[in-house]
Amino acid sequence: MRLLAVVLLFALAYAKHEKYDGWKSYYVGPASAEQLKALGPILDQYFVDVLSHPIVQREGVVLVAPNHQDGFTKALEDLAIDYKVHADNVKAALDYDDTLIAAKKARDFIRSGGRNLPYDNYQTLETIDAYLIDIAARFPDTVTLVNPANSFEDRPIYYLKISTTNFQDESKPVIFIDGGIHAREWVSPPSVTWMIHKLTEDITEPDLLEKFDWIILPVVNPDGYAFTFSSDRFWRKTRSTDSHAWSTLCPGVDGNRNYDFFWNTVGTSASPCVETYGGSQAFSEIETRVVRDLLHEYLHRMALYLTMHSYGSMILYGWGHDGSLSPNAFALHTVGVSMAAAIDARKLPNFHNYIVGNAALVLWYGASGASEDYAHLIGVPLAYTYELPGLQGGFEGFHLDPIYIEQVCRETWEGIVVGARRAGELFR
Ligand code: 0X9
Ligand code: ZN
C-alpha cells in the first residue's frame, strides 16, 4: 500500500505540468517600502515561489500552491497589498504555452529545415548545442568550442571562445558572458546565443571582435534547462543528488547561491527542498565550478562579466548580500546606466525601463553566493546580473510571449555593445 502511494506520488510529480494543477499565479504590486517589507515574511510563510521579484511600484509574479492560496491572498488583503490573479490554473497556462511552442516548432522546421536557431520560439538545449558546434565549424578562424566538463547528469557544458588571435594577444581585455544558470529563465540562453550570432554571422560592430576576446557560455545548467522542457517548467536549480541526505528526494542546488561569496549566509537556504538551497559547500556543483575556473583563468585581463537572468528589466551589481558598495561602485553604476540607457532607447513601449543598482538595494533582499558578486570579489572590475524583460500584464500563457524573444535579444545586444566599449576604455 505504502509502495503504491510512493509510486503514485512519483508518477504524479513527473507527469507534465500535473504538479501545477490547481496552482495559481499572481501579480503582486506593493505600493510602498512598508508593503514590500511586509511581503517578505508572507512569501516565506506560504511557500510562495517568486518568478519575478516585486519591488515598490513594479509588480512581480509569484506561484502559490492550492493549499496556500486562501492564506496568501488573505494576508495580502489584510495589508492592503495589491494583487491580481495571473493564471487561475497554472497547469492550464503551461499547456497553452506548449501548444504555442509546438505550433511554432512545426513552422520553424519547415522554414529552415531545423538548421537555424529560432528567435521566435524558445531554444531547446539540443538546438543550442547543435548551433555551438555548427558555429565553431563555420568560423574556425575566430571560434573555438570548448567542453571543459560535463554536468551532473553527464550533459556537455559548452562555451565558445571568440577571438581574432585565438586568445594569444594578452593585451586584449576579456569579456565573459553566461546564461541559463537558473533553468526556468528561458529568455536567458537565447539572449546569449544572439551575442554569438552578432560576433560571427552578423558582425555590425567589428571593433568588438577586434578589441576583445570573448567567452560565451549560453547554458551553465544544462540538466536543469533540459528538465524545464521535459518535466517541470519552473525548475530553477541544478539536478544534482549528491549534496545532502535529502537530495535524492529534493535534487538540485541554486547555482546562484553556490559561489564562494559569503556562501550560505543571506537569502539562501540550507534545505535542499527550498529553491534557494546553496549546496553542501561553496562550489559543490560542477556547473558553478566551470564558471569559477573560467573567471580565474582569464582574471588577469577580464574587464567585464555578465550573467543573464530573467526577469525584471534590471542591471544589478554587488554587493548583493548586504547592499554595501565596492570601491568600484562608481564605475559599476555609470557603466550599468550606460548599458541600460542603450537598451531603453531600443526597447518596446510595453517593456519597463531598466533599473540599475546594487542588487540588494534594488531587490530589497540580500542574497549571498551569487556569481556576479564572486566575480567582482576576485577582481573582475565590472560584474553584473542582468534581469531581462519578462512577462507583463498578459493573462494567456506563462512565459514572455515568444514573439518578444528576438526583441529582447536585439535590445540586450545594444547594452552589451555599450558595456563592452566602456569596459575597454576603463580597463585597458
Ligand atoms: O536571486 C537571484 O539569484 C537573482 N534573481 S532571480 O530572479 N533571477 O533568481 C538576482 C541575483 C542578484 N545578485 C545578487 N544578489 N548578488
Ligand atoms: Zn535567475
Short mmCIF file of all heavy atoms in Angstrom, two decimals, residues 51 53 181-185 188 236 254 256-257 307-311 365 385-387, ligand 2:
data_model
loop_
_atom_site.label_atom_id
_atom_site.label_comp_id
_atom_site.label_asym_id
_atom_site.label_seq_id
_atom_site.Cartn_x
_atom_site.Cartn_y
_atom_site.Cartn_z
N LEU A 51 8.71 34.18 -9.15
CA LEU A 51 9.26 34.09 -10.52
C LEU A 51 9.89 35.40 -10.93
O LEU A 51 10.85 35.44 -11.68
CB LEU A 51 8.16 33.74 -11.51
CG LEU A 51 7.59 32.33 -11.40
CD1 LEU A 51 6.64 32.07 -12.53
CD2 LEU A 51 8.71 31.29 -11.40
N HIS A 53 10.71 39.23 -9.02
CA HIS A 53 10.63 39.87 -7.70
C HIS A 53 9.87 41.18 -7.73
O HIS A 53 10.24 42.07 -8.48
CB HIS A 53 12.04 40.10 -7.16
CG HIS A 53 12.74 38.82 -6.88
ND1 HIS A 53 12.56 38.13 -5.72
CD2 HIS A 53 13.56 38.08 -7.64
CE1 HIS A 53 13.25 37.02 -5.77
NE2 HIS A 53 13.87 36.96 -6.92
N ILE A 181 21.87 29.76 -15.88
CA ILE A 181 22.19 29.08 -14.61
C ILE A 181 20.89 28.74 -13.89
O ILE A 181 20.76 27.69 -13.27
CB ILE A 181 23.14 29.92 -13.74
CG1 ILE A 181 23.56 29.11 -12.52
CG2 ILE A 181 22.51 31.23 -13.31
CD1 ILE A 181 24.80 29.55 -11.86
N HIS A 182 19.90 29.64 -13.98
CA HIS A 182 18.56 29.34 -13.47
C HIS A 182 17.75 28.75 -14.61
O HIS A 182 17.41 29.44 -15.58
CB HIS A 182 17.90 30.60 -12.91
CG HIS A 182 18.44 30.99 -11.57
ND1 HIS A 182 18.47 32.27 -11.11
CD2 HIS A 182 18.97 30.21 -10.58
CE1 HIS A 182 19.00 32.29 -9.89
NE2 HIS A 182 19.32 31.05 -9.56
N ALA A 183 17.42 27.46 -14.46
CA ALA A 183 16.90 26.69 -15.58
C ALA A 183 15.64 27.29 -16.20
O ALA A 183 15.47 27.28 -17.41
CB ALA A 183 16.62 25.27 -15.09
N ARG A 184 14.76 27.82 -15.37
CA ARG A 184 13.45 28.23 -15.90
C ARG A 184 13.46 29.59 -16.57
O ARG A 184 12.44 30.02 -17.13
CB ARG A 184 12.45 28.25 -14.75
CG ARG A 184 12.74 29.31 -13.68
CD ARG A 184 11.93 29.02 -12.45
NE ARG A 184 12.09 30.01 -11.39
CZ ARG A 184 11.60 29.85 -10.17
NH1 ARG A 184 10.95 28.74 -9.86
NH2 ARG A 184 11.75 30.77 -9.25
N GLU A 185 14.59 30.28 -16.52
CA GLU A 185 14.63 31.64 -17.08
C GLU A 185 14.95 31.56 -18.56
O GLU A 185 16.07 31.80 -19.02
CB GLU A 185 15.63 32.47 -16.26
CG GLU A 185 15.15 32.58 -14.81
CD GLU A 185 16.17 33.14 -13.82
OE1 GLU A 185 17.25 33.58 -14.25
OE2 GLU A 185 15.87 33.12 -12.61
N SER A 188 17.02 33.75 -21.15
CA SER A 188 18.45 33.98 -20.95
C SER A 188 19.32 33.31 -22.03
O SER A 188 20.11 34.00 -22.69
CB SER A 188 18.84 33.53 -19.54
OG SER A 188 20.22 33.32 -19.43
N ARG A 236 14.38 25.49 -11.15
CA ARG A 236 15.35 26.60 -11.10
C ARG A 236 16.78 26.10 -10.91
O ARG A 236 17.74 26.66 -11.44
CB ARG A 236 14.95 27.50 -9.92
CG ARG A 236 15.96 28.55 -9.48
CD ARG A 236 15.38 29.29 -8.29
NE ARG A 236 16.35 30.11 -7.60
CZ ARG A 236 16.49 31.42 -7.78
NH1 ARG A 236 15.74 32.06 -8.64
NH2 ARG A 236 17.39 32.10 -7.09
N ASP A 254 20.71 25.72 -5.97
CA ASP A 254 20.58 27.01 -6.66
C ASP A 254 21.99 27.47 -7.04
O ASP A 254 22.78 27.85 -6.16
CB ASP A 254 19.89 28.03 -5.74
CG ASP A 254 19.66 29.38 -6.44
OD1 ASP A 254 20.30 29.62 -7.49
OD2 ASP A 254 18.86 30.17 -5.92
N ASN A 256 23.01 30.08 -8.22
CA ASN A 256 23.31 31.46 -7.86
C ASN A 256 23.33 31.70 -6.35
O ASN A 256 23.23 32.82 -5.89
CB ASN A 256 22.33 32.43 -8.54
CG ASN A 256 23.01 33.72 -8.94
OD1 ASN A 256 24.22 33.73 -9.25
ND2 ASN A 256 22.27 34.81 -8.95
N ARG A 257 23.44 30.61 -5.60
CA ARG A 257 23.72 30.69 -4.17
C ARG A 257 24.93 29.81 -3.84
O ARG A 257 25.26 29.62 -2.69
CB ARG A 257 22.51 30.17 -3.35
CG ARG A 257 21.22 30.94 -3.57
CD ARG A 257 21.27 32.34 -2.98
NE ARG A 257 20.01 33.05 -3.20
CZ ARG A 257 19.67 33.68 -4.34
NH1 ARG A 257 20.54 33.72 -5.36
NH2 ARG A 257 18.52 34.28 -4.45
N THR A 307 26.08 37.95 -16.22
CA THR A 307 25.32 36.71 -16.13
C THR A 307 23.86 37.06 -16.39
O THR A 307 23.29 37.97 -15.77
CB THR A 307 25.56 36.02 -14.77
OG1 THR A 307 24.81 34.79 -14.74
CG2 THR A 307 25.18 36.88 -13.58
N MET A 308 23.27 36.35 -17.35
CA MET A 308 21.94 36.73 -17.83
C MET A 308 20.86 35.91 -17.11
O MET A 308 20.87 34.68 -17.17
CB MET A 308 21.85 36.51 -19.35
CG MET A 308 23.00 37.09 -20.15
SD MET A 308 23.39 38.82 -19.79
CE MET A 308 22.11 39.64 -20.72
N HIS A 309 19.95 36.63 -16.46
CA HIS A 309 18.82 36.02 -15.75
C HIS A 309 17.54 36.66 -16.28
O HIS A 309 17.56 37.59 -17.07
CB HIS A 309 18.92 36.29 -14.25
CG HIS A 309 20.01 35.55 -13.56
ND1 HIS A 309 19.79 34.59 -12.62
CD2 HIS A 309 21.37 35.64 -13.67
CE1 HIS A 309 20.93 34.11 -12.18
NE2 HIS A 309 21.92 34.74 -12.80
N SER A 310 16.41 36.15 -15.79
CA SER A 310 15.15 36.84 -16.04
C SER A 310 14.23 36.58 -14.86
O SER A 310 14.39 35.59 -14.17
CB SER A 310 14.53 36.35 -17.34
OG SER A 310 13.93 35.07 -17.18
N TYR A 311 13.22 37.47 -14.52
CA TYR A 311 13.09 38.67 -15.29
C TYR A 311 12.83 39.87 -14.41
O TYR A 311 12.65 39.70 -13.21
CB TYR A 311 12.02 38.49 -16.37
CG TYR A 311 10.64 38.13 -15.90
CD1 TYR A 311 9.74 39.13 -15.54
CD2 TYR A 311 10.23 36.81 -15.83
CE1 TYR A 311 8.46 38.80 -15.16
CE2 TYR A 311 8.96 36.49 -15.44
CZ TYR A 311 8.07 37.48 -15.10
OH TYR A 311 6.81 37.18 -14.70
N TYR A 365 16.14 42.39 -1.20
CA TYR A 365 16.55 41.22 -0.43
C TYR A 365 18.01 40.96 -0.72
O TYR A 365 18.47 41.09 -1.85
CB TYR A 365 15.70 39.97 -0.77
CG TYR A 365 15.90 39.41 -2.16
CD1 TYR A 365 16.88 38.46 -2.43
CD2 TYR A 365 15.09 39.84 -3.22
CE1 TYR A 365 17.06 37.93 -3.71
CE2 TYR A 365 15.26 39.33 -4.50
CZ TYR A 365 16.24 38.37 -4.73
OH TYR A 365 16.41 37.87 -6.00
N THR A 385 24.60 41.23 -12.89
CA THR A 385 23.49 40.33 -13.21
C THR A 385 22.49 41.12 -14.04
O THR A 385 22.06 42.21 -13.61
CB THR A 385 22.78 39.86 -11.92
OG1 THR A 385 23.71 39.11 -11.15
CG2 THR A 385 21.57 39.01 -12.25
N TYR A 386 22.15 40.60 -15.19
CA TYR A 386 21.04 41.18 -15.95
C TYR A 386 19.77 40.42 -15.60
O TYR A 386 19.76 39.19 -15.65
CB TYR A 386 21.27 40.98 -17.46
CG TYR A 386 21.91 42.12 -18.20
CD1 TYR A 386 23.18 42.56 -17.88
CD2 TYR A 386 21.26 42.74 -19.27
CE1 TYR A 386 23.78 43.60 -18.59
CE2 TYR A 386 21.85 43.77 -19.98
CZ TYR A 386 23.11 44.19 -19.65
OH TYR A 386 23.70 45.21 -20.35
N GLU A 387 18.72 41.13 -15.27
CA GLU A 387 17.39 40.53 -15.23
C GLU A 387 16.68 41.04 -16.48
O GLU A 387 16.31 42.21 -16.58
CB GLU A 387 16.60 40.96 -13.97
CG GLU A 387 17.20 40.47 -12.66
CD GLU A 387 16.97 38.98 -12.40
OE1 GLU A 387 16.31 38.30 -13.21
OE2 GLU A 387 17.49 38.49 -11.38
ZN ZN B 2 17.89 33.92 -12.16
#
